[in-house]
Amino acid sequence: MSLIGIILGAFLLFYLQDRLYCRFWDKNLSVSLEFSRKAAVEGEECELCERVENRKLLPLPALKVKFQVSRELQFEDEEGVSSVTDQYYRNDVLSVRPFMRHVRRLRFRCKKRGYYWINGLDVVAGTLFLSGELPRSLESETRLYVYPRLWRSPEFSRLLQRLNGEILSRRHMLEDPFEFRGIREYSPWDTMRDINWKATARTGDLKVNMKNYTAQKAVRIFVNLEDGAVMRHEELLEASIRMAAGAAANFLAQGIRTSVYTNGPDIVTGELVGMEAASASWHMETINRGLARIDLSKRAPSFVRSLKEAALGQNEAAGTLFTVFISSDAQEDFQELLEECVRQGTDFCWICPIMEHGEEKIRKALEPYAQKIRVREGE
């Protein structure tokens, strides 16, 4: 009888714990994933914080936390807990005691520019005797921007220095009638409207107002991500984006109003990525976020059809606007657009990223405006 009682007691215990776990295992249980930062730069290291809190008396002897994220985030892997195919799949198993908080920090390196997210995770709990699994799907809304690395090379730095000189030297061609700099003696070439009559009456000598030169210089950066080659050169497209980021950072550091327009689709909205002109300190972050969200897995639409009107338009006063085209693609319609810019008298330059041993045929009329930047494979 005692043996039968033990067996019945065991079956009763098994049944009760099974019912207990089925009903209460996920009560007062919270599981969350969160990136340690909102933004990083290509090549930097970051952390994903995995947090589990069990705020009840019922222990969880085996709790699996499963999620997936882009494989472009390279985790310091532990053998047996993850797999990498088109995505990075992770399966963490832990034991959580009553009223326990478990925090695990998963370090990873940002291999590639992009916009990454984890939209959800799966939690699977085991019963006390591990006789069954109790699954549940949870929401997760963690996001990470990986900004493009600023392009740095000796020839690119020399080009930016030259452009800075060209752009800033034009500042002294135009005076801003609303910027008052001081008062000076009258000269024969001064006009009557420049005379300061109050100062003249006070001193008895003719005095004129000195106006400051306009500081509202502006640069437009157009990034052409169209690739007409048979073999797609994604390295050149990524290099173009990095050069755009490097050029924008350079111009903003000089206090120059900078806008960036691309024919690359936004990975979230599907619209073409573009950032209007500004020179505030926060504008570089806006540009970085826009460039991070360009989706190169989709082919970019025709640059000429998408941005011809914007490229030929002049929304700034004459003499204050400079245009930078960044394009590894040298198709005929794109070069015809640049020749139209020459005929219009547009101040511009064309930055043309090419592979180290590659070559692009640039029309003779555009050679004075073009600058080739060599890109080494894997750079």
Side-chain angles (χ1 to χ4, degrees):
M1 292 294 293
S2 60
L3 180 60
I4 295 174
I6 292 173
I7 294 174
L8 289 175
F11 273 110
L12 180 62
L13 177 62
F14 181 84
Y15 175 79
L16 290 177
Q17 67 86 31
D18 189 68
R19 293 297 90 199
L20 187 67
Y21 272 90
C22 285
R23 184 171 181 181
F24 295 110
W25 77 270
D26 57 350
K27 184 177 181 181
N28 294 329
L29 174 70
S30 66
V31 183
S32 64
L33 298 171
E34 186 175 358
F35 290 113
S36 60
R37 294 152 61 183
K38 293 184 178 180
V41 179
E42 280 181 298
E44 288 186 348
E45 290 192 346
C46 196
E47 289 182 342
L48 178 64
C49 181
E50 182 183 273
R51 187 186 302 269
V52 179
E53 292 186 19
N54 184 25
R55 299 184 296 274
K56 61 179 178 295
L57 281 171
L58 192 67
L60 298 172
L63 184 71
K64 297 178 183 178
V65 179
K66 302 180 180 182
F67 65 90
Q68 67 183 53
V69 71
S70 172
R71 64 180 179 179
E72 302 301 344
L73 304 181
Q74 185 176 34
F75 284 80
E76 295 177 357
D77 213 349
E78 297 179 29
E79 191 172 351
V81 302
S82 67
S83 63
V84 180
T85 54
D86 57 329
Q87 293 277 302
Y88 174 88
Y89 298 90
R90 191 172 183 96
N91 183 10
D92 289 328
V93 182
L94 54 147
S95 178
V96 188
R97 296 191 298 272
F99 299 102
M100 177 184 178
R101 175 187 296 164
H102 177 91
V103 179
R104 177 176 292 174
R105 298 186 181 278
L106 310 173
R107 294 188 63 81
F108 62 88
R109 186 172 65 87
C110 303
K111 290 170 54 180
K112 188 177 179 182
R113 168 202 64 82
Y115 179 61
Y116 303 103
W117 61 86
I118 301 175
N119 277 336
L121 57 96
D122 294 320
V123 180
V124 182
T127 59
L128 186 61
F129 298 115
L130 304 179
S131 58
E133 292 188 337
L134 304 167
R136 182 183 171 188
S137 295
L138 301 176
E139 292 184 359
S140 176
E141 291 292 334
T142 186
R143 302 284 186 267
L144 176 68
Y145 284 93
V146 178
Y147 296 159
R149 186 174 66 250
L150 303 186
W151 186 269
R152 300 188 188 282
S153 69
E155 55 186 345
F156 189 64
S157 298
R158 288 193 295 270
L159 172 63
L160 291 182
Q161 290 176 0
R162 179 169 64 82
L163 293 181
N164 285 339
E166 290 182 15
I167 294 169
L168 294 177
S169 65
R170 292 187 178 90
R171 176 168 57 186
H172 300 289
M173 295 181 182
L174 297 173
E175 287 186 333
D176 190 338
F178 303 104
E179 285 286 332
F180 178 73
R181 187 157 56 102
I183 299 174
R184 61 171 174 79
E185 298 288 338
Y186 175 82
S187 297
W189 54 81
D190 291 320
T191 63
M192 294 290 289
R193 64 183 178 185
D194 293 329
I195 296 176
N196 188 317
W197 296 107
K198 289 184 179 180
T200 298
R202 188 169 57 250
T203 62
D205 296 319
L206 281 173
K207 302 290 183 180
V208 295
N209 295 322
M210 291 191 299
K211 302 179 185 66
N212 217 343
Y213 295 106
T214 180
Q216 289 296 312
K217 305 300 297 179
V219 172
R220 304 180 303 173
I221 301 174
F222 287 95
V223 188
N224 181 11
L225 299 173
E226 188 179 2
D227 189 353
V230 177
M231 296 290 291
R232 195 159 184 258
H233 296 128
E234 190 167 329
E235 283 181 274
L236 290 178
L237 302 182
E238 289 290 351
S240 298
I241 293 173
R242 291 173 188 151
M243 289 178 192
N250 169 78
F251 295 135
L252 288 171
Q254 308 295 325
I256 299 172
R257 297 174 67 244
T258 305
S259 57
V260 179
Y261 303 98
T262 82
N263 59 336
D266 190 306
I267 195 170
V268 177
T269 65
E271 302 292 330
L272 299 188
V273 173
M275 285 68 68
E276 296 295 332
S279 59
S281 57
W282 46 260
H283 191 48
M284 190 62 214
E285 183 176 358
T286 302
I287 292 174
N288 275 329
R289 288 194 171 200
L291 296 177
R293 283 170 54 160
I294 293 175
D295 184 9
L296 289 183
S297 67
K298 299 176 182 175
R299 283 195 173 269
S302 166
F303 181 87
V304 173
R305 287 199 299 269
S306 304
L307 294 170
K308 179 178 181 179
E309 186 176 340
L312 295 178
Q314 299 275 342
N315 55 3
E316 302 283 342
T320 68
L321 181 65
F322 191 84
T323 303
V324 177
F325 293 97
I326 302 177
S327 174
S328 61
D329 187 78
Q331 293 190 71
E332 293 299 313
D333 60 345
F334 178 73
Q335 296 201 55
E336 288 171 5
L337 173 63
L338 297 190
E339 288 185 337
E340 180 63 26
C341 290
V342 173
R343 289 190 288 272
Q344 283 192 359
T346 302
D347 292 322
F348 76 93
C349 81
W350 172 17
I351 300 175
C352 182
I354 60 174
M355 297 306 293
E356 190 173 14
H357 301 295
E359 196 62 46
E360 285 291 352
K361 293 183 179 179
I362 296 175
R363 295 183 180 183
K364 190 170 183 179
L366 297 176
E367 287 179 356
Y369 303 90
Q371 174 67 54
K372 297 177 183 178
I373 303 293
R374 300 277 174 185
V375 178
R376 292 189 295 273
E377 189 172 351
E379 186 169 4

